[in-house]
């Protein structure tokens, strides 16, 4: 429904307007006003006649699509709706008249508006008469009017100014054709400027035709120069009136420079001209051009000729090189390596730009021949001895040598000259500045050398006569520079003074390799790696160690830049800590990565003393155990020899009879006598060895009768090293030593003769006296408790059919009973090796046997 109403209203209000469209419009139409003024616009049937078709109260005014504020509207019943635009400040604009219908704006009229300024008076009219071409005039139009402006040029010439040319242009220049040239007549020129807001006229220019002539640029060429350090330029006369003399200018500059030098030449009426440009840098490229002008009050110079590049002629180098040196530490003999450094000259010394230098070195104390070196390099190395040397460097070419640069290398150990005072280096306006105070004696000049503090340390230097200078070339930010200031006293350098600085500082690189070690109960040592020089980006002012326990309590401690490890104390036992290190410069800070450590529960001394006490306790227990075991074994578990494990049973029979049975204790040594018992004679070898005498000599072999009835007991002896102690019978009891030799025992009842066997008494004749008479048991020591408790029955083995051990050759031994062998109180009888060895050694001796036989008889 609303849409239908809207369409009806539009039709009602638009149809009448369309029928009278030419009668209702905005007045004035397309106005042009001066910028900054007010503009009144009216919607009317015609100028002064209102348009009654539209209600003025529903008219909406817009400027460039934006509604003009209503306070600028004006309602006039006699003329219609109008609007005032205050202080017009736009060059162009569009003003529209709109009708408000049902909340919508309907365009019913529109107009363009322009604003600007009236033209200013043209100034500085200038006319140029190009010889034999045309006349061109130009002027200054004044400020921008923002409106379309036309210029009318009036050109009158001739002696009576009868000839007039009039032309229009929208530019501020104009050219007349060749037919209107007048070299020798006066000219008048006037310019009028005009636009929609007004017009303006220039002053009249009065000139003479020849005065405004402008010549073409000359054509130049080069010629080989005659003079040193010079360039010769040639050019011809440009087109000009014959009677007109010329003046010319030659401009030149070093190629790549922006500073021109100009020389004037009076060419007059000559057809060609040449000029020598002098006092140039030798072997240097220059850019050259020429221009000319008439010498009769002409106004305009010709344009500059095309530029050409020329190389100046050579000459003797006029300046000495800047020379400096670096001296390495001398060796044990005082020899040192000297690095000479010099800078290239500001001018080349040869046509191809190559620099040649001659280095000369001579000793100041010894008449050595001078060392001379020619090179194109800017440095040289000399291996000098400990004496003082004078070094000079000159630049040279085919024309001669430059002034000499001289430097003295002092002798090793020579006392240095004075040094500058209070040297400071700082950064200011993106430059490194160095200042110092002069020494107490006059100084010729100062040398400042510097290099970046890295592995290469490429040195640069400069001379200065002031005490405050900026370093040319030290432009790397975040890099540390080593700077040295040395005064020069008549070529002799004073004691150098060094400082360090940064052009610009920043936050340092990260702290690396943070570690915790020697962690104790309440202390821990934190260590970190020093930041490399090229990553510090400034002077490290301090390090800050942050550490936090597992409860979140954080602490920190700050140390100076020279400290790379720190002992943290007052820590909590058995606690985990998080630690990191922060490095600081003037420009910022950087943190390291975090590391962890845990303090111990007990301190190291506590653990050490506890371990020591535990160890001592274990040692005491072991000693007590060993002692208890030894005492138990000694008194409760005595050792009983085992015949089966005797080593003598495994020995060959031939080796058994090698003992010296007569040998007894000598020099405190104990000798053991082992007893071998063979029960059956059939077990013996075919040829028995004889019993060994005390002198270890063989006796006639024993040849016992064959057959079982005649088997006899054979007692053989073998003596082997230490072991046996002499054992004797005491109170009818025999003792033995602790050895592996088995004991021979029989029961006490077996001491009687077996049935059917012969018995012998003491008084019966026998080849040997009985054992009791031989004093086999001479000593009767006390009872051996060890043997006493060993076994219940240990008896001496004596059988009826036993042969005597010793007999003469060809005799038959007679049996005998050991009548003197007695039992001990325990009913035991013992036989010991000592006893048998003692008696057998004596009884088996042939001389002893014969002696006993005589005694028996």
């Amino acid at each position: 429904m609303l849409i239908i109403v809207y369409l009806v209203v539009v039709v009602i209000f638009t149809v009448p307007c369309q029928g009278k469209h030419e009668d209702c419009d905005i007045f004035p139409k397309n106005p042009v006003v001066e910028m900054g003024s007010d503009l009144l616009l009216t919607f009317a049937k015609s100028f002064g006649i209102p348009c009654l078709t539209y209600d003025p109260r529903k008219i909406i005014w817009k400027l460039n699509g934006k509604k003009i504020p209503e306070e600028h509207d004006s309602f006039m019943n006699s003329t219609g709706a109008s609007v005032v635009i205050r202080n017009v400040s736009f060059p162009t604009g569009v003003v529209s008249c709109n009708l408000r219908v049902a909340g919508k704006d309907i365009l019913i009229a529109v107009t363009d508006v322009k604003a600007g300024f009236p033209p200013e008076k043209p100034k500085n009219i200038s006319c140029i008469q190009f010889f034999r071409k045309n006349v061109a005039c130009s002027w200054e139009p004044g400020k921008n009017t923002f409106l379309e402006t036309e210029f009318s040029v009036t050109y009158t010439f001739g002696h009576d100014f009868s000839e007039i040319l009039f032309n229009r242009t929208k530019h501020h220049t104009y050219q007349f054709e060749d037919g209107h040239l007048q070299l020798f007549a006066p000219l008048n020129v006037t310019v009028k400027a005009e636009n929609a807001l007004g017009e303006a006229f220039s002053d009249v220019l009065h000139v003479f035709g020849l005065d405004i002539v402008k010549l073409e640029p000359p054509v130049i060429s080069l010629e080989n120069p005659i003079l040193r350090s010079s360039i010769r330029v040639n050019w011809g006369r440009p087109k000009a009136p014959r009677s007109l003399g010329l003046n010319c200018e030659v401009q030149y500059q070093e190629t790549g420079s922006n500073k021109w030098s100009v020389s004037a030449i009076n060419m007059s009426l000559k057809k060609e001209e040449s000029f020598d440009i002098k006092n140039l840098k030798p072997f240097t490229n220059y850019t050259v051009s020429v221009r000319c002008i008439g010498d009769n009050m002409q106004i305009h110079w010709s344009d500059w000729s095309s530029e050409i590049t020329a190389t100046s002629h050579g000459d003797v180098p006029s300046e000495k090189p800047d020379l400096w040196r670096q001296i390495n530490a001398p060796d044990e003999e005082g020899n040192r390596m000297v690095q000479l450094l010099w800078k290239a000259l500001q001018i080349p010394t040869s046509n191809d730009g190559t620099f040649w230098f001659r280095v000369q070195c001579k000793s100041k104390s010894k008449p050595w021949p001078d060392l001379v070196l020619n090179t194109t390099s800017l440095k040289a190395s000399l291996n000098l001895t400990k004496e003082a040397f004078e070094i000079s460097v000159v630049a040279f070419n085919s024309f001669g040598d430059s002034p000499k640069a001289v430097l003295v290398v002092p002798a090793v150990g020579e006392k240095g000259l004075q040094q500058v005072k209070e040297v400071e280096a700082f950064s200011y306006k993106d430059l490194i500045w160095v200042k110092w105070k002069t020494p107490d004696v006059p100084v010729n000049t100062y040398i400042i050398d510097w290099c970046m503090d890295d592995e290469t340390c490429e040195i640069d230097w400069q001379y200065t006569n002031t005490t405050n200078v900026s370093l040319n070339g030290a432009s790397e930010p975040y890099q540390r520079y080593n700077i040295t200031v040395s005064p020069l006293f008549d070529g002799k350098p004073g004691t150098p003074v060094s400082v360090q600085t940064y052009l610009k500082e920043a936050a340092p690189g990260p702290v690396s390799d943070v570690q915790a070690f020697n962690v104790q109960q309440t202390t821990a040592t934190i260590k970190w790696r020093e930041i490399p020089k090229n990553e510090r980006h400034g002077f490290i002012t301090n390090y800050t160690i942050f550490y936090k326990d597992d409860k979140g309590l954080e602490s920190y401690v700050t140390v100076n830049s020279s400290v790379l490890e720190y002992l943290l104390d007052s820590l909590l036992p058995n606690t985990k800590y998080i630690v990191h290190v922060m490095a600081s410069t003037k420009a910022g800070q950087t943190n390291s990565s975090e590391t962890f450590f845990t303090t111990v529960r007990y301190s190291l001394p506590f653990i050490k003393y506890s371990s020591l006490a535990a160890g001592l306790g274990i040692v005491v227990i072991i000693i007590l155990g060993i002692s208890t075991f030894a005492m138990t074994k000694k008194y409760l578990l005595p050792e009983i020899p085992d015949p089966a494990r005797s080593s003598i049973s495994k020995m060959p029979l031939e080796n058994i009879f090698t003992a010296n049975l007569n040998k007894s204790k000598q020099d405190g040594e104990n000798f053991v006598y082992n007893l071998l018992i063979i029960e059956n004679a059939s077990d013996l070898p075919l040829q028995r060895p004889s019993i060994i005498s005390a002198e270890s000599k063989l006796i006639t072999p024993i040849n016992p009768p064959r057959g079982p009835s005649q088997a006899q007991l054979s007692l053989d002896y073998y003596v082997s090293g230490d072991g046996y102690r002499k054992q004797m019978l005491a109170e009818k009891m025999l003792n033995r030593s602790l050895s592996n030799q088995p004991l021979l025992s029989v029961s006490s009842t077996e001491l009687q003769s077996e049935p059917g066997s012969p018995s012998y008494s003491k008084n019966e004749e026998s080849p040997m006296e009985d054992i009791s008479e031989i004093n086999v048991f001479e000593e009767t020591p006390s009872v051996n408790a060890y043997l006493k408790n060993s076994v219940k029955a240990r008896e001496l083995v004596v059988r009826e059919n036993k042969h005597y051990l010793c007999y003469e050759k060809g005799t038959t031994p007679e049996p005998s009973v050991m009548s003197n062998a007695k039992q001990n109180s325990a009913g035991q009888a013992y036989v010991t090796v000592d006893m048998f060895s003692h008696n057998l050694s004596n009884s088996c001796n042939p001389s002893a046997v014969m002696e006993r036989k005589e005694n028996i008889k």
Side-chain angles (χ1 to χ4, degrees):
M1 188 67 183
L2 293 176
I3 297 175
I4 296 174
V5 173
Y6 173 76
L7 293 175
V8 172
V9 172
V10 169
V11 171
I12 293 173
F13 284 94
T14 56
V15 170
C17 182
Q18 289 178 350
K20 300 181 180 180
H21 177 69
E22 295 181 356
D23 296 335
C24 295
D25 204 347
I26 298 174
F27 295 94
K29 192 66 175 179
N30 300 326
V32 177
V33 297
E34 187 173 355
M35 195 171 292
S37 63
D38 297 338
L39 174 62
L40 174 63
L41 297 175
T42 303
F43 181 71
K45 186 175 180 179
S46 62
F47 188 78
I49 301 174
C51 184
L52 301 178
T53 307
Y54 303 98
D55 187 356
R57 292 172 297 181
K58 295 182 179 181
I59 297 297
I60 304 298
W61 294 93
K62 292 183 178 181
L63 174 62
N64 295 329
K66 295 181 179 181
K67 182 181 178 180
I68 299 175
E70 294 180 356
E71 56 267 21
H72 295 173
D73 296 347
S74 176
F75 305 104
M76 295 178 290
N77 294 329
S78 59
T79 58
S82 62
V83 66
V84 176
I85 302 175
R86 307 289 183 182
N87 190 17
V88 178
S89 58
F90 48 87
T92 59
V94 177
V95 177
S96 62
C97 180
N98 302 271
L99 181 65
R100 176 64 57 90
V101 178
K104 300 292 183 179
D105 294 336
I106 299 174
L107 179 64
I108 56 177
V110 64
T111 186
D112 294 330
V113 177
K114 294 183 179 180
F117 299 100
E120 291 185 345
K121 175 183 176 180
K123 299 178 182 178
N124 297 328
I125 301 175
S126 175
C127 293
I128 299 174
Q129 185 167 210
F130 295 99
F131 185 66
R132 295 181 180 176
K133 286 186 177 181
N134 54 35
V135 176
C137 295
S138 62
W139 56 90
E140 295 179 2
K143 69 179 182 179
N144 186 10
T145 62
F146 299 102
L147 300 174
E148 183 177 322
T149 303
E150 286 187 346
F151 298 94
S152 301
V153 181
T154 302
Y155 180 72
T156 61
F157 56 93
H159 294 283
D160 55 359
F161 300 103
S162 58
E163 299 187 36
I164 301 174
L165 296 176
F166 181 82
N167 292 281
R168 285 182 173 273
T169 180
K170 294 182 179 180
H171 306 287
H172 50 86
T173 60
Y174 187 77
Q175 292 183 355
F176 297 94
E177 297 301 326
D178 183 26
H180 303 106
L181 294 179
Q182 296 289 331
L183 290 178
F184 301 101
L187 302 174
N188 290 339
V189 180
T190 305
V191 177
K192 182 181 74 171
E194 183 178 8
N195 63 16
L197 297 179
E199 61 182 18
F201 292 88
S202 69
D203 296 332
V204 178
L205 173 65
H206 303 282
V207 294
F208 193 74
L210 189 61
D211 295 342
I212 60 174
V213 169
K214 182 177 180 179
L215 306 178
E216 293 184 355
V219 178
I220 65 176
S221 62
L222 297 175
E223 185 179 345
N224 291 331
I226 301 176
L227 302 176
R228 295 180 178 180
S229 302
S230 65
I231 294 175
R232 171 163 286 192
V233 184
N234 295 333
W235 67 93
R237 177 184 175 88
K239 294 180 180 180
R242 296 179 181 179
S243 60
L244 183 64
L246 302 180
N247 291 325
C248 299
E249 288 184 344
V250 177
Q251 70 171 6
Y252 57 93
Q253 67 173 357
E254 187 176 347
T255 301
S257 174
N258 293 323
K259 184 178 180 180
W260 289 94
S261 298
V262 179
S263 297
I265 303 98
N266 184 4
M267 188 176 180
S268 186
L269 300 176
K270 292 186 293 186
K271 294 183 178 180
E272 291 185 357
E273 186 62 271
S274 62
F275 179 72
D276 289 324
I277 307 173
K278 304 175 183 178
N279 300 322
L280 302 178
K281 295 179 181 180
F283 306 112
T284 304
N285 292 332
Y286 285 86
T287 301
V288 183
S289 62
V290 179
R291 68 177 182 176
C292 295
I293 191 174
D295 61 358
N296 189 13
M297 303 295 292
Q298 273 65 47
I299 301 173
H300 304 292
W301 284 90
S302 69
D303 293 333
W304 288 102
S305 67
S306 299
E307 295 179 351
I308 60 174
T309 300
T311 301
S312 60
H313 197 42
D315 197 357
V316 176
S318 59
E319 57 187 41
K320 64 182 180 181
D322 290 340
L323 177 63
W324 190 229
R325 85 290 181 272
Q326 289 292 313
I327 305 175
N328 295 343
D331 58 15
E332 297 179 354
E333 299 180 356
N335 299 326
R336 57 258 169 89
M337 183 65 68
V338 177
Q339 183 82 12
L340 296 179
L341 306 168
W342 58 88
K343 292 188 176 183
L345 300 180
Q346 299 297 323
I347 56 175
T349 58
S350 64
N351 194 28
D352 58 359
T354 304
F355 295 86
W356 281 93
F357 299 93
R358 182 184 303 111
V359 182
Q360 188 173 10
C361 178
K362 63 180 180 179
S363 174
K364 299 191 70 175
S365 59
K366 294 185 178 181
W368 290 348
D370 296 349
L371 174 64
V372 179
L373 173 66
N374 294 333
T375 179
T376 59
S377 177
L378 297 178
K379 59 184 178 180
S381 297
L382 302 177
N383 192 3
L384 304 180
T385 57
K386 61 182 178 181
E387 291 79 15
F389 288 86
E390 181 181 278
I391 299 175
S392 63
V393 176
V394 297
F396 68 93
N397 59 12
S398 59
F399 297 95
D401 295 349
S402 72
K404 184 185 298 184
V406 180
L407 193 65
V408 175
V409 177
V412 174
E414 181 179 342
K415 184 178 180 181
L417 301 177
Q418 290 192 22
Q419 62 185 20
V420 296
K421 304 175 183 178
E422 301 180 15
V423 179
E424 296 182 26
F426 55 93
S427 175
Y428 179 71
K429 292 185 177 180
D430 296 330
L431 291 174
I432 293 180
W433 290 80
V434 185
K435 68 178 183 178
W436 61 91
K437 291 186 178 180
T438 59
D440 297 332
V441 295
V443 177
N444 296 104
T445 187
Y446 300 94
I447 294 181
I448 301 95
D449 65 74
W450 66 90
C451 70
M452 284 193 295
D453 191 5
D454 53 18
E455 295 180 356
T456 59
C457 191
E458 296 183 0
I459 294 177
D460 196 1
W461 80 98
Q462 65 187 56
Y463 281 83
T464 182
N465 293 321
T466 64
T467 58
N468 189 358
V469 64
S470 62
L471 303 185
N472 298 324
S475 58
E476 289 294 329
Y478 318 131
Q479 296 293 329
R480 184 165 67 182
Y481 283 90
N482 296 328
I483 303 170
T484 302
V485 180
S486 302
L488 285 182
F489 306 92
D490 296 329
K492 295 182 179 180
T495 303
V497 180
S498 299
V499 293
Q500 293 179 328
T501 191
Y502 285 85
L503 175 63
K504 188 176 181 180
E505 295 191 38
V511 181
S512 62
D513 198 18
V514 179
Q515 297 179 354
F517 65 97
N518 195 20
V519 179
Q520 302 295 326
Q521 188 179 25
T522 59
T523 61
T525 301
I526 307 301
K527 185 177 181 179
W528 58 94
R529 190 187 301 273
E530 186 178 16
I531 302 175
K533 293 180 181 179
N534 59 345
E535 297 180 6
R536 295 178 189 174
H537 305 158
F539 292 107
I540 303 297
T541 56
N542 56 65
Y543 292 101
T544 304
I545 306 162
F546 295 89
Y547 55 101
K548 180 171 61 175
D549 59 17
D550 50 10
K551 296 180 180 179
L553 180 61
E554 186 174 30
S555 303
Y556 68 92
V557 61
T558 301
V559 297
N560 60 46
S561 59
S562 62
V563 176
L564 297 177
E565 64 178 66
Y566 186 79
L567 178 65
L568 300 178
D569 54 6
S570 302
L571 303 178
L572 299 176
N574 193 28
T575 303
K576 182 178 180 180
Y577 282 89
I578 303 174
V579 63
H580 71 272
V581 178
M582 181 180 72
S584 301
T585 64
K586 292 181 179 178
Q589 302 83 27
T590 302
N591 290 318
S592 70
S593 58
E594 293 182 341
T595 188
F596 306 87
F597 69 90
T598 303
T599 54
V600 298
R601 183 183 298 271
Y602 303 106
S603 62
L604 183 60
F606 176 82
I607 297 175
K608 185 184 297 183
Y609 292 135
S610 299
S611 301
L612 181 60
L616 292 175
I618 293 172
V619 171
V620 170
I621 292 172
I622 292 174
I623 293 174
L624 290 176
I626 294 173
S627 300
T628 303
F629 176 76
M631 296 299 292
T632 302
K633 183 176 181 182
K634 178 177 180 181
Y635 293 104
L636 299 179
L637 300 172
E639 182 180 1
I640 301 175
D642 186 359
R645 297 181 180 179
S646 176
S647 61
I648 196 170
S649 63
K650 301 177 183 180
M651 298 180 63
L653 192 59
E654 292 82 356
N655 296 336
I656 294 178
F657 300 95
T658 59
N660 186 351
L661 299 180
N662 243 358
K663 192 160 187 178
S664 61
K665 292 184 179 180
Q666 297 178 2
D667 301 330
E669 296 180 355
N670 292 329
F671 296 88
V672 179
Y673 303 89
N674 293 325
L675 177 61
L676 177 64
I677 300 176
I678 302 176
E679 295 291 343
N680 200 326
S682 62
D683 297 333
L684 296 172
L686 295 179
Q687 184 178 359
R688 290 180 60 190
S690 64
I691 302 299
I692 300 175
S693 67
E695 291 79 15
S696 299
K697 295 180 181 180
L698 293 176
I699 306 176
T700 304
I702 301 173
N703 296 314
R706 300 294 179 179
S709 62
Q710 296 180 355
Q712 297 179 359
L713 176 64
S714 175
L715 300 178
D716 299 332
Y717 285 86
Y718 167 72
V719 180
S720 62
D722 304 343
Y724 276 101
R725 297 191 304 270
K726 187 173 183 180
Q727 301 178 17
M728 306 302 293
L729 182 63
E731 299 293 337
K732 301 180 180 181
M733 179 179 178
L734 298 177
N735 297 330
R736 70 176 179 86
S737 64
L738 295 172
S739 71
N740 292 329
Q741 176 63 35
L743 297 175
L744 305 178
S745 64
V746 296
S747 64
S748 60
T749 58
E750 290 180 354
L751 294 175
Q752 304 297 325
S753 300
E754 294 182 0
S757 65
S759 62
Y760 298 88
S761 65
K762 180 180 181 181
N763 296 327
E764 290 182 355
E765 189 175 290
S766 175
M768 295 181 63
E769 61 183 356
D770 61 18
I771 297 175
S772 63
E773 291 180 351
I774 304 174
N775 298 325
V776 176
F777 304 106
E778 292 179 342
E779 300 177 8
T780 58
S782 60
V783 178
N784 191 322
Y786 166 65
L787 293 177
K788 181 178 179 180
N789 297 318
S790 306
V791 294
K792 293 182 179 180
R794 293 176 184 261
E795 297 176 353
L796 180 65
V797 178
V798 179
R799 295 179 181 269
E800 291 180 340
N801 55 353
K802 304 296 188 291
H803 289 296
Y804 277 99
L805 299 177
C806 295
Y807 49 89
E808 293 183 4
K809 184 177 181 181
T811 63
T812 301
E814 297 179 1
S816 175
V817 179
M818 298 176 60
S819 60
N820 289 346
K822 299 179 183 181
Q823 294 181 350
N824 61 5
S825 59
Q828 298 177 358
Y830 294 87
V831 176
T832 66
V833 175
D834 298 81
M835 177 186 72
F836 277 94
S837 65
H838 174 73
N839 288 279
L840 290 177
S841 64
N842 292 326
S843 62
C844 292
N845 192 326
S847 61
V849 172
M850 295 302 296
E851 183 178 356
R852 284 195 294 272
K853 284 186 179 183
E854 292 297 331
N855 292 335
I856 293 173
K857 292 179 179 181

